[in-house]
Amino acid sequence: AVICHNDVCIENVVFSDETVVGLLDFDFAAPGRPVWDLAMTARYWVPLQDPISAAATGRDHLDPFRRVRVMADAYGADDEIRETFTTVLMEIEEVALRFVTQRVDQGIEAFISMWNDLGGHERHRRKMTWLAEHRSRIDDALAV
């Protein structure tokens, strides 16, 4: 079985002089599919986000289509991963939405703050619209 980290966001990676030296926070690690972990990671690192969300982290100038290709190539993604990537990415967005909103509904302050600070449902709608509009470009970028 493959163990996936499931949360390789920028805050969970340790750098030393621009070199990755560690990975933190394995509380979501679990058996899974490599395409899930790659797509989850690409959300944060490419980033595969709408321009407003990307601008919030100062990364709106990056080319997401070139970067997703570079990430998939560096990972050694096979045809199956490349062909299922965008479907899995859309699924991840829905799973992530349920995960966060459940915690918001439970009154967990850290999730409430994050949800409000990042734009809540409006941000999710923007991201999903952007992904749907650019799905074919992501697929083309990943094509072998």
Side-chain angles (χ1 to χ4, degrees):
V2 174
I3 303 298
C4 295
H5 184 277
N6 291 311
D7 195 22
V8 185
C9 62
I10 293 167
E11 295 83 2
N12 288 339
V13 177
V14 179
F15 292 88
S16 176
D17 296 325
E18 298 183 16
T19 300
V20 174
V21 296
L23 186 58
L24 307 172
D25 197 6
F26 286 82
D27 55 333
F28 298 129
R33 298 175 294 157
V35 65
W36 184 277
D37 225 23
L38 182 63
M40 180 72 89
T41 302
R43 292 172 66 223
Y44 301 118
W45 287 88
V46 167
L48 290 171
Q49 299 177 337
D50 65 280
I52 294 171
S53 297
T57 60
R59 296 179 297 152
D60 53 321
H61 65 286
L62 301 175
D63 179 348
F65 311 107
R66 183 186 66 77
R67 288 172 60 89
V68 75
R69 174 60 182 246
V70 168
M71 181 176 246
D73 289 349
Y75 182 81
D78 61 20
D79 290 347
E80 181 181 353
I81 288 174
R82 291 169 188 273
E83 291 166 4
T84 59
F85 182 90
T86 53
T87 299
V88 170
L89 179 64
M90 301 295 273
E91 182 182 345
I92 285 169
E93 290 296 344
E94 294 302 330
V95 168
L97 175 66
R98 285 191 305 273
F99 178 85
V100 172
T101 56
Q102 284 174 352
R103 280 145 186 84
V104 168
D105 292 346
Q106 291 169 352
I108 300 172
E109 188 56 44
F111 284 91
I112 294 169
S113 295
M114 177 184 66
W115 179 252
N116 291 333
D117 291 348
L118 293 177
H121 282 292
E122 175 56 32
R123 177 175 178 253
H124 178 73
R125 281 191 290 278
R126 264 196 334 265
K127 284 175 30 176
M128 295 305 287
T129 298
W130 186 89
L131 287 171
E133 290 172 354
H134 294 88
R135 183 179 187 142
S136 64
R137 287 193 67 193
I138 296 168
D139 286 338
D140 289 348
L142 292 171
V144 178

